Amino acid sequence: FKRTIEESLAVKDRWQSRKPPVPLDWHTTFEAPQSVREIAEYKAMSAVDRSQRVLTVAQSAQCLLDTVRRIFDERKDDIGEMAFDKDDELAMDFVASAANLRMAVFGIER
């Protein structure tokens, strides 16, 4: 969400006819006062509430980190071979949070 976007921005011709993406800075995403509040709200939500709300950038980033941690803790042997399953809460959290962050980078409205 940062390095590859910055590399893409270096190709100036790519962005002449469309709005360029804005790389995410993880430190800013997690440390800004508003982000700290949003992450606290996210952590207080139930899993059902999380699945039914549009998360902010900070909340999506926290969700992605939490999901990756859970994958390493709970499914380490499946890394590299995991398949997407709409009934798999962990897979859905990963896909949704990554998609929300990508939307933010490319300025796609929620």
Side-chain angles (χ1 to χ4, degrees):
F1 298 103
K2 182 170 173 60
R3 184 180 48 97
T4 56
I5 297 301
E6 290 172 340
E7 291 169 0
S8 180
L9 285 169
V11 182
K12 301 291 184 195
D13 294 344
R14 183 177 292 164
W15 309 109
Q16 288 181 351
S17 63
R18 55 186 167 166
K19 182 181 173 188
V22 177
L24 287 181
D25 178 82
W26 286 90
H27 295 290
T28 303
T29 300
F30 287 107
E31 295 171 2
Q34 179 66 27
S35 296
V36 171
R37 285 189 295 278
E38 291 171 355
I39 290 169
E41 289 173 9
Y42 166 82
K43 289 181 176 184
M45 289 180 209
S46 70
V48 172
D49 286 342
R50 290 178 190 167
S51 70
Q52 296 177 353
R53 295 183 68 180
V54 177
L55 301 179
T56 66
V57 170
Q59 291 169 338
S60 293
Q62 185 65 53
C63 182
L64 183 64
L65 288 179
D66 291 347
T67 302
V68 170
R69 280 189 197 112
R70 285 186 57 204
I71 289 169
F72 274 94
D73 290 346
E74 299 171 16
R75 300 186 189 169
K76 190 172 187 172
D77 294 339
D78 294 337
I79 294 174
E81 298 180 17
M82 288 180 69
F84 175 77
D85 180 351
K86 67 174 180 54
D87 296 322
D88 181 346
E89 179 185 336
L90 205 50
M92 290 299 295
D93 284 348
F94 181 86
V95 170
S97 60
N100 285 341
L101 292 173
R102 190 148 175 91
M103 284 174 35
V105 165
F106 285 93
I108 300 168
E109 293 188 34
R110 301 186 283 165

